[in-house]
């Protein structure tokens, strides 16, 4: 495996008129190609800030981020589909806005929609789809620009427990099949352990790395199966103890 992302001594201070907030103090990590890393930490510790900086939505205060010529894609918390656009148009929108839409890219998006069970819904509108299907559309929209690294910030948090399980299973399979790398931010330790090759535990704000776990399951499989693995509850309990609960 080769390294596709390196973050060194990342720091972020937010400035408002009233005060300065240090959200991220000294955060360093590497990501290997094909690796899924989950980041967990107490609420408000700076998790979203790290992803916002990686995706270019926020400026860093200091530190270095390098990912060569690799591309980064950002998956939002809600599916944010436009109800008045068809499924296909929703998926093409990003490319259209960036003026990057070509016949070839359109064919690629259609092939993804077909491959992942949405072939019959290209011309349907989002309100005809189940929550799970909508989330799959949102993922394919993110994949349309062919990112190498996917950033996901609590991507399943708006869903009920049952849907979270099936959708995390879906997202996991699709990203593995398409050979993407993932940085997943989540509150949910079970989700982190069942999806990540590695789990990074952050301190209270400002975010620094408190501990890192290499997740070695007896029979690594997909998220739902991983939850049944013998080693799963060991990691769950260790990480739970490590997080600074308020
Ligand atoms: N744009 C902003 N301007 C000023 N302060 C901000 C801004 N965005 C975040 N913060 C502050 O930075 C800190 C970290 O916020 P962040 O959203 O990164 O945490 P988080 O770990 O993602 O939280 P949560 O668990 O609630 O998702 C918080 O104290 C927050 O209030
Ligand atoms: Mg957040």
């Amino acid at each position: 495996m080769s390294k596709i992302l390196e973050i060194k001594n990342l720091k972020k201070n937010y400035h408002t008129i009233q005060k300065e907030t240090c959200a991220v103090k000294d955060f360093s990590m590497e990501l290997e190609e094909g690796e899924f890393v989950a980041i967990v930490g107490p609420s408000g510790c700076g998790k979203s800030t790290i992803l916002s900086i990686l995706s270019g939505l926020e400026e860093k205060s200091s530190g270095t981020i390098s990912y060569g010529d690799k591309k980064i894609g950002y998956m939002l918390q809600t599916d944010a589909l436009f109800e008045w656009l068809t499924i296909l148009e929703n998926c093409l929108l990003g490319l259209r806005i960036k003026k990057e839409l070509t016949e070839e890219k359109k064919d690629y998006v259609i092939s993804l929609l077909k491959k992942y069970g949405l072939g019959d819904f290209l011309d349907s509108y989002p309100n005809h789809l189940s929550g799970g299907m909508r989330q799959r559309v949102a993922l394919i929209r993110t994949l349309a620009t062919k990112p190498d690294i996917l950033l996901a910030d609590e991507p399943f948090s708006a869903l009920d427990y049952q849907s979270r399980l099936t959708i995390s299973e879906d997202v996991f399979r699709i990203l593995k099949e398409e050979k993407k790398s993932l940085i997943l931010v989540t509150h949910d330790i079970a989700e982190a352990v069942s999806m990540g090759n590695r789990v990074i535990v952050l301190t209270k704000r400002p975010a620094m790395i408190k501990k890192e776990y290499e997740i070695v399951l007896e029979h690594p499989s997909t998220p739902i199966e991983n939850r049944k693995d013998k080693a799963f509850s060991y990691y769950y309990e260790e990480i739970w103890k490590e997080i600074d609960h308020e």
Side-chain angles (χ1 to χ4, degrees):
M1 281 211 280
S2 59
K3 187 166 58 184
I4 57 168
L5 170 72
E6 185 171 34
I7 304 170
K8 274 193 190 152
N9 310 109
L10 183 67
K11 182 174 178 179
K12 172 69 182 177
N13 292 326
Y14 286 111
H15 300 275
T16 59
I17 299 168
Q18 295 89 1
K19 58 174 181 179
E20 183 181 75
T21 306
C22 183
V24 179
K25 194 169 176 189
D26 183 16
F27 178 82
S28 304
M29 70 168 280
E30 293 180 358
L31 185 70
E32 301 283 329
E33 200 163 1
E35 196 182 16
F36 284 15
V37 172
I39 299 179
V40 296
S43 81
C45 76
K47 302 180 292 296
S48 297
T49 300
I50 293 170
L51 292 198
S52 301
I53 294 170
L54 288 177
S55 67
L57 291 172
E58 286 283 355
E59 296 279 338
K60 60 183 192 289
S61 300
S62 61
T64 58
I65 298 171
S66 30
Y67 47 91
D69 59 355
K70 300 295 182 195
K71 247 196 200 169
I72 291 187
Y74 198 5
M75 207 180 152
L76 298 166
Q77 189 164 12
T78 58
D79 62 40
L81 299 179
F82 291 112
E83 301 296 339
W84 61 90
L85 293 178
T86 63
I87 298 308
L88 179 58
E89 279 306 320
N90 263 291
C91 290
L92 296 178
L93 189 65
L95 292 167
R96 217 185 268 291
I97 290 171
K98 288 202 223 156
K99 300 202 181 345
E100 287 177 6
L101 186 58
T102 58
E103 269 314 300
E104 191 193 338
K105 286 182 180 163
K106 184 175 173 178
D107 289 344
Y108 172 65
V109 170
I110 293 174
S111 73
L112 285 177
L113 286 166
K114 286 184 174 161
K115 187 169 168 188
Y116 297 113
L118 293 158
D120 291 337
F121 300 93
L122 300 184
D123 300 319
S124 304
Y125 289 88
N127 64 1
H128 291 128
L129 269 56
S130 68
M133 290 162 92
R134 291 177 64 115
Q135 206 72 17
R136 234 182 292 151
V137 173
L139 176 60
I140 291 169
R141 179 185 51 194
T142 308
L143 295 178
T145 55
K146 298 200 174 174
D148 305 282
I149 303 164
L150 262 288
L151 307 177
D153 191 355
E154 314 260 5
F156 318 119
S157 62
L159 306 161
D160 60 88
Y161 180 72
Q162 208 59 41
S163 309
R164 289 175 77 110
L165 280 185
T166 40
I167 291 160
S168 58
E169 186 85 357
D170 259 9
V171 167
F172 183 93
R173 283 171 194 272
I174 294 173
L175 294 182
K176 284 288 178 207
E177 174 118 11
E178 301 301 319
K179 299 188 168 47
K180 306 295 180 188
S181 311
L182 173 70
I183 300 182
L184 168 74
V185 160
T186 176
H187 270 103
D188 185 332
I189 300 172
E191 197 169 280
V193 176
S194 66
M195 291 187 76
N197 306 104
R198 198 143 53 89
V199 177
I200 293 176
V201 181
L202 299 179
T203 59
K204 289 191 289 216
R205 185 173 67 80
M208 287 184 292
I209 294 183
K210 190 168 187 208
K211 200 149 183 183
E212 238 182 281
Y213 294 85
E214 192 81 40
I215 306 298
V216 186
L217 299 177
E218 220 160 277
H219 303 287
S221 175
T222 58
I224 290 179
E225 290 304 311
N226 287 348
R227 287 168 192 253
K228 301 174 198 154
D229 196 279
K230 269 200 183 134
F232 179 85
S233 54
Y234 164 77
Y235 288 112
Y236 184 97
E237 279 159 31
E238 285 296 308
I239 293 168
W240 201 86
K241 280 188 264 176
E242 210 52 59
I243 293 184
D244 300 308
H245 301 279
E246 263 120 83

